[in-house]
Amino acid sequence: CLAHTPKASSATMSYDRAITVFSPDGHLFQVEYAMEAVKNGTTAVGVKGKKMIVLGVEKKSAAKLQDPRTVRKIMKVDRHISLAFAGLVADARVLVNKARLECQSYRLTMEDSPTVEYVSRFIARVQQRYTQRGGRRPFGISNLITGFDADGTPNLWQTDPTGSHTSWKALAIGRNAKSVREFLEENYAETMETEEKGEDDAAIKLAVKALLEVVESGAKNIEISYMTPGEPMKTLEASKVEAMCKEIEAAKEAEKSKKKKKKST
């Protein structure tokens, strides 16, 4: 079989190693491996409401002697822009520093704050550049970039190692992203209706519910940050996250007991 000949296997390895060379079936293997690094990262969720934007992440358990404040999955890019990421932490740090510098440069040149779309496009452009030149490797991260523009428009953008950037209403990235995304698709419309009725924390509850679908240790390993128009990103207190998780779990149990009663009657 041709696939097992030394010539064929060495050809496959050459496509595997070279970042700038397409394989015969149109793949850039190093970029695809970077996407796998994203899938191995802890889950991150973004939810865009009309009055609030929420970022939620699954935190890794810190070692006993480690300061947990030094491990951040949600980072501030500008006064009105923040991002959460899934993938390699060191890559995220480098990319965020580049984005912060671009925001400062934009303010100096234009005497105005950059839009969320502008910053997302800049980050995507940097990530794409690292897929097209030799001697580099792609960034092994995907980002959820959030913020309100000057006119109060909420934004949620995603970038990935290929350099693409897209706008979303709600999205999950990282480990188990597919199942979390399906949960968001099923519950997003209902959440927006609840928000319109006056429940301001509806978007926060949806993000927590989505993370509880995949986070086994509950509130202990969940971090939630939220933003409202004209205000910087704020982190929800751990006690409030825990109380919300208990409320959601209690509601789930009540729903289960209702279903059991219906079946028995």
Side-chain angles (χ1 to χ4, degrees):
C1 178
L2 181 63
H4 295 288
T5 61
K7 189 182 250 185
S9 71
S10 65
T12 305
M13 287 303 290
S14 66
Y15 296 124
D16 191 65
R17 289 173 182 170
I19 190 171
T20 56
V21 180
F22 282 95
S23 69
D25 52 353
H27 291 276
L28 286 171
F29 287 115
Q30 291 298 323
V31 177
E32 291 184 7
Y33 296 156
M35 297 290 279
E36 289 301 316
V38 171
K39 289 176 185 175
N40 290 333
T42 51
T43 312
V45 171
V47 178
K48 180 177 75 175
K50 291 181 180 177
K51 303 172 187 175
M52 183 184 288
I53 306 170
V54 182
L55 288 174
V57 294
E58 177 189 356
K59 295 188 298 182
K60 282 185 176 177
S61 299
K64 283 186 179 180
L65 301 179
Q66 185 181 27
D67 185 348
R69 293 172 301 175
T70 59
V71 183
R72 306 293 296 176
K73 288 267 295 177
I74 299 174
M75 299 183 181
K76 188 177 177 181
V77 178
D78 201 16
R79 280 183 294 197
H80 63 303
I81 301 172
S82 294
L83 70 74
F85 68 90
L88 304 177
V89 178
D91 284 16
R93 187 184 67 242
V94 171
L95 204 52
V96 167
N97 285 341
K98 286 178 183 288
R100 285 171 178 164
L101 193 61
E102 179 63 22
C103 288
Q104 291 169 13
S105 176
Y106 187 96
R107 284 178 183 276
L108 189 66
T109 308
M110 307 300 289
E111 297 184 357
D112 196 8
S113 57
T115 62
V116 183
E117 183 181 358
Y118 175 87
V119 175
S120 304
R121 195 166 60 242
F122 169 79
I123 290 173
R125 191 163 65 244
V126 172
Q127 286 185 282
Q128 194 278 332
R129 205 181 298 148
Y130 277 70
T131 70
Q132 212 168 2
R133 296 180 185 176
R136 299 176 174 185
R137 67 162 177 79
F139 285 95
I141 58 166
S142 186
N143 304 290
L144 294 175
I145 304 153
T146 60
F148 285 89
D149 290 334
D151 62 357
T153 305
N155 285 269
L156 172 62
W157 290 81
Q158 184 229 359
T159 70
D160 63 31
T162 66
S164 66
H165 71 297
T166 47
S167 178
W168 295 80
K169 294 176 182 176
L171 184 65
I173 55 175
R175 194 184 303 131
N176 301 314
K178 188 180 176 184
S179 60
V180 180
R181 194 156 55 235
E182 286 170 358
F183 177 85
L184 291 169
E185 286 169 2
E186 289 170 10
N187 294 277
Y188 182 80
E190 185 184 334
T191 300
M192 292 304 101
E193 285 173 14
T194 309
E195 188 185 52
E196 284 176 6
K197 289 174 184 174
E199 193 174 327
D200 293 336
D201 62 350
I204 294 176
K205 281 185 178 176
L206 179 61
V208 173
K209 283 178 184 177
L211 284 169
L212 284 173
E213 292 290 302
V214 294
V215 178
E216 293 174 3
S217 49
K220 188 175 66 174
N221 282 18
I222 290 177
E223 182 181 344
I224 299 289
S225 292
Y226 63 96
M227 185 185 290
T228 51
E231 296 290 330
M233 183 69 84
K234 296 173 184 175
T235 301
L236 195 66
E237 294 171 16
S239 58
K240 289 183 179 177
V241 175
E242 191 172 352
M244 200 170 280
C245 287
K246 284 179 181 176
E247 184 186 327
I248 290 164
E249 292 296 340
K252 276 185 183 177
E253 289 300 320
E255 190 66 29
K256 279 181 185 177
S257 61
K258 273 185 185 179
K259 285 179 181 177
K260 282 181 182 177
K261 283 179 183 178
K262 281 181 181 180
K263 283 181 181 178
S264 60
T265 53

